[in-house]
């Protein structure tokens, strides 16, 4: 968080409160790209950031709105952007990354339980909305992708099961299959015979598909036991 400074910090119960403000002297208009140092007004944002010791960080960010100096620009006023949090978001980018990573390995309900141990209270529905944005991050599965992870998840508990396929090396989403059945996964694997290693859960359906389509690929267990330990701790 190089673009902000802490002006006050205090702790109440298991929560750490930080009041921070921007250190930037100017900001780029998101519409036209012109730099502006003319401040229109100030406002506050509440950002939630988890912590491994369970003490949630609540950041009160004093942000600013700028006036665009480009006369032809349609966006006369814009809010400043920050490196650690997206526009209008209430969760830090680090927290979102953790949710996405866990969402590749377990259910939304389990992710919610794990995040509570980080001091973040987040609902099942909010996690689902975050996961629904994953397709925009899809990476092409070319021959450079050799190590993949496969797991299923449901947008709605007990229904609409899909299969997530990710690049284990780059930690990027490769594809989201419309089901968790053998045929869909087999069709995908047939198009990517160069896969050498596959991390998966204990699904016999996935195992059968892998054995038949890419028999030389090494199969390993996924992060289930790590997540189980987190839940049991």
């Amino acid at each position: 968080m190089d673009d902000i400074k802490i002006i006050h910090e205090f702790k109440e119960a298991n929560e750490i409160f930080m009041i921070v403000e921007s250190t930037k002297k100017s900001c780029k208009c998101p519409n036209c790209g012109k730099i502006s140092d003319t401040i229109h007004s100030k406002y506050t944002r509440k950002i939630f950031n988890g912590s491994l010791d369970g003490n949630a960080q609540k950041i009160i960010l004093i942000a600013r709105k700028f006036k665009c100096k480009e006369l032809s620009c349609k966006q006369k006023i814009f809010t400043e952007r920050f490196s650690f949090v997206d526009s209008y978001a209430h969760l830090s980018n680090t927290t979102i990354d953790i949710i996405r990573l866990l969402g590749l390995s377990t259910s939304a309900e389990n992710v919610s339980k794990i995040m509570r141990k980080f001091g973040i209270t987040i609902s099942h529905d909010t996690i689902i909305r975050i996961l629904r944005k994953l397709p925009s991050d899809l990476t092409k599965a070319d021959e450079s992708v050799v190590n993949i992870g496969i797991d299923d998840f449901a947008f709605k508990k007990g229904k609409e099961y899909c299969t997530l396929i990710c690049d284990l090396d780059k930690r990027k989403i490769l594809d989201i299959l419309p089901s968790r059945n053998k045929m869909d996964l087999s069709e995908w694997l047939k198009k990517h015979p160069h896969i050498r290693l596959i991390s998966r859960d204990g699904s016999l359906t996935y195992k059968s598909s892998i054995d038949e389509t890419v028999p030389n690929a090494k199969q390993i267990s996924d992060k289930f036991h790590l997540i189980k330990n987190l839940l049991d701790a």
Side-chain angles (χ1 to χ4, degrees):
M1 298 189 291
D2 297 333
D3 46 4
I4 62 171
K5 66 177 180 179
I6 300 174
I7 58 178
H8 186 58
E9 182 176 354
F10 60 95
K11 183 176 181 180
E12 288 186 1
N14 292 326
E15 295 180 328
I16 299 174
F17 292 83
M18 292 189 295
I19 301 175
V20 304
E21 65 179 3
S22 174
T23 58
K24 296 181 291 187
K25 295 182 179 180
S26 60
C27 195
K28 181 187 295 184
C29 174
N31 185 55
C32 69
K34 191 174 184 67
I35 301 296
S36 174
D37 58 2
T38 305
I39 298 173
H40 172 269
S41 58
K42 293 185 178 181
Y43 67 103
T44 59
R45 293 178 59 184
K46 293 182 179 180
I47 314 297
F48 298 94
N49 191 36
S51 177
L52 291 176
D53 61 7
N55 293 317
Q57 294 180 349
K58 293 190 175 180
I59 302 171
I60 301 172
L61 172 62
I62 302 174
R64 299 167 295 178
K65 294 182 180 180
F66 288 83
K67 294 180 180 179
C68 184
K69 291 186 174 182
E70 178 57 54
L71 297 178
S72 61
C73 182
K74 294 181 180 180
Q75 189 162 353
K76 303 302 180 184
I77 299 172
F78 61 91
T79 58
E80 62 182 323
R81 270 53 175 173
F82 298 90
S83 60
F84 73 99
V85 64
D86 290 339
S87 300
Y88 307 107
H90 296 289
L91 295 173
S92 68
N93 292 339
T94 299
T95 301
I96 295 294
D97 287 342
I98 292 173
I99 292 171
R100 286 177 171 173
L101 182 60
L102 291 173
L104 299 179
S105 304
T106 189
S107 67
E109 287 188 6
N110 283 344
V111 174
S112 180
K113 293 177 183 178
I114 294 170
M115 295 310 296
R116 280 201 293 271
K117 294 183 179 293
F118 292 153
I120 293 289
T121 300
I122 184 170
S123 69
H124 171 275
D125 291 338
T126 300
I127 294 169
I128 293 301
R129 285 196 293 270
I130 291 172
L131 292 177
R132 282 187 181 276
K133 297 179 181 179
L134 285 174
S136 63
D137 295 330
L138 294 182
T139 300
K140 184 178 180 181
D142 55 26
E143 292 189 1
S144 66
V145 178
V146 293
N147 303 319
I148 65 172
I150 296 175
D151 202 356
D152 63 358
F153 77 101
F155 283 127
K156 186 175 181 181
K157 186 179 179 181
K159 298 180 179 180
E160 302 178 24
Y161 278 95
C162 302
T163 296
L164 276 169
I165 303 175
C166 65
D167 183 336
L168 293 179
D169 298 314
K170 297 179 180 178
R171 294 186 178 183
K172 294 289 186 179
I173 307 300
L174 297 173
D175 211 339
I176 298 180
L177 308 183
S179 75
R180 56 179 178 180
N181 65 43
K182 179 180 177 179
M183 182 180 297
D184 284 340
L185 179 58
S186 294
E187 287 299 317
W188 192 92
L189 290 173
K190 287 177 182 177
K191 297 177 183 178
H192 306 87
H194 53 277
I195 299 300
R196 298 177 185 172
L197 180 144
I198 301 175
S199 170
R200 62 171 181 82
D201 62 13
S203 169
L204 294 178
T205 300
Y206 289 162
K207 181 180 185 304
S208 176
S209 175
I210 296 168
D211 287 342
E212 292 180 11
T213 54
V214 282
N216 293 326
K218 183 178 180 180
Q219 299 181 50
I220 61 173
S221 299
D222 63 10
K223 300 174 183 177
F224 171 78
H225 294 295
L226 171 61
I227 293 171
K228 185 176 185 298
N229 290 338
L230 281 171
L231 293 174
D232 293 342

